[in-house]
């Protein structure tokens, strides 16, 4: 089974789990959750092959979740990051002994399925809710990168691991680490594509984005709790 098939299989599992989650877990009290995040961004590519935050930049953005229940959510995220790199920082010798540096502004728009390892919530003890839970998220989206007067757009696959903590019933604090696989090789600018004459493919010679960010979100859209009423 190749990587593309594995990716499709993971998304199919997430979609199936989300559709059946309400039958398996207690509902969240609110339908929606929205807020923003800020943190540090980095990149892996031709100008940085190993150190995630060698030249750290800033990442900021907003998010909105639909809360299926206390474990599953579907999240939309729009974020912006500044990234940079310099091949002189590393021991690799490029063809002709050349060195390259770049800076870029990157926008990401994606949708992620999110799974809490513990039933997340506060107040209703009979549901065994937890104020703190680790979680995983996997999604698909688009990355737009602008550098040296050129703009490139690629599909991307964001993968996240994080922690959520309920400050209050409707207020949430989060810490998240994300690696985003960009299905292209021009995130770091036009001069850093195909440096070793290795053509890009689905996995080979493509760029990664990384970030670690703190978020705060607020829940709204209370579900009806009246018995026998269709919500």
């Amino acid at each position: 089974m190749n990587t593309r098939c594995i990716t499709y299989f993971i998304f199919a599992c997430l979609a199936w789990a989300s559709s059946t989650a309400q039958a398996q877990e207690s509902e969240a009290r609110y339908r929606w959750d929205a807020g923003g995040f800020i943190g540090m961004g980095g990149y892996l590519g031709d100008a940085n092959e190993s150190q995630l935050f060698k030249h750290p930049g800033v990442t900021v953005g907003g998010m909105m979740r639909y809360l299926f229940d206390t474990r599953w959510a579907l999240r939309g995220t729009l974020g912006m990051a500044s990234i940079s790199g310099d091949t002189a920082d590393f021991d690799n010798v490029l063809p002709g002994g050349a060195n390259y540096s770049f800076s870029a502004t990157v926008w990401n728009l994606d949708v992620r399925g999110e799974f809490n390892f513990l039933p997340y919530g506060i107040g209703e003890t009979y549901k065994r809710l937890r104020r703190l839970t680790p979680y995983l998220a996997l999604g698909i989206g688009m990355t737009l990168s602008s550098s040296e007067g050129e703009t490139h757009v690629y599909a991307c696959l964001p993968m996240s691991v994080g922690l959520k903590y309920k400050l209050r019933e409707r207020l949430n604090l989060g810490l998240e680490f994300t690696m985003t696989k960009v299905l292209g090789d021009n995130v770091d600018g036009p001069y850093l594509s195909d440096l070793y004459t290795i053509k890009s493919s689905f996995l080979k010679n493509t760029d990664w984005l990384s970030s670690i960010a703190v978020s705060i979100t607020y829940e709204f859209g209370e579900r009806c709790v009246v018995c026998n009423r269709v919500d």
Side-chain angles (χ1 to χ4, degrees):
M1 182 181 292
N2 60 31
T3 304
R4 191 185 297 269
C5 292
I6 293 172
T7 302
Y8 291 154
F9 175 74
I10 292 172
F11 282 122
C13 289
L14 283 171
W16 173 83
S18 295
S19 66
T20 59
Q22 285 184 319
Q24 298 172 349
E25 300 287 346
S26 58
E27 281 191 341
R29 182 170 180 180
Y30 297 92
R31 290 188 179 90
W32 299 96
D33 174 45
F37 61 86
I38 186 169
M40 180 172 62
Y43 122 103
L44 291 178
D46 293 302
N48 181 10
E49 297 183 353
S50 59
Q51 299 183 33
L52 290 179
F53 299 106
K54 179 65 176 180
H55 290 273
V58 175
T59 181
V60 296
M63 67 178 78
M64 188 169 184
R65 295 183 181 94
Y66 181 78
L67 308 173
F68 291 102
D69 53 46
T70 59
R71 287 186 185 263
W72 288 93
L74 185 66
R75 180 175 109 193
T77 302
L78 174 63
M80 184 276 289
S82 60
I83 61 172
S84 60
D86 193 330
T87 59
D89 294 331
F90 302 94
D91 296 331
N92 290 355
V93 178
L94 300 178
N99 286 318
Y100 298 92
S101 62
F102 83 98
S103 61
T105 300
V106 178
W107 291 86
N108 282 320
L109 177 64
D110 60 66
V111 177
R112 308 180 198 183
E114 199 171 274
F115 174 71
N116 300 324
F117 283 93
L118 300 172
Y120 182 60
I122 189 173
E124 297 160 311
T125 56
Y126 71 95
K127 294 181 180 179
R128 300 182 184 275
L129 300 180
R130 299 291 187 271
R131 294 182 71 164
L132 177 69
T133 182
Y135 68 91
L136 292 175
L138 175 66
I140 188 168
M142 300 296 295
T143 293
L144 183 150
S145 175
S146 178
S147 178
E148 301 293 338
E150 293 192 10
T151 298
H152 298 273
V153 180
Y154 298 105
C156 67
L157 302 173
M159 296 159 274
S160 303
V161 59
L163 287 171
K164 297 176 187 175
Y165 178 73
K166 272 205 172 292
L167 295 171
R168 300 178 65 179
E169 183 183 14
R170 301 168 70 172
L171 195 62
N172 307 285
L173 184 67
L175 176 65
E176 180 176 274
F177 173 72
T178 300
M179 289 295 297
T180 300
K181 175 66 174 177
V182 182
L183 305 184
D185 190 34
N186 287 106
V187 171
D188 44 18
Y191 305 116
L192 287 165
S193 177
D194 197 20
L195 291 181
Y196 302 98
T197 67
I198 300 173
K199 296 299 182 183
S200 300
S201 64
F202 181 74
L203 287 179
K204 185 171 59 179
N205 199 34
T206 51
D207 296 325
W208 289 81
L209 300 173
S210 60
S211 68
I212 183 165
V214 175
S215 66
I216 188 163
T217 61
Y218 182 78
E219 296 177 10
F220 60 97
E222 188 172 9
R223 284 187 164 90
C224 177
V225 295
V226 178
C227 295
N228 302 319
R229 174 173 173 177
V230 176
D231 192 5

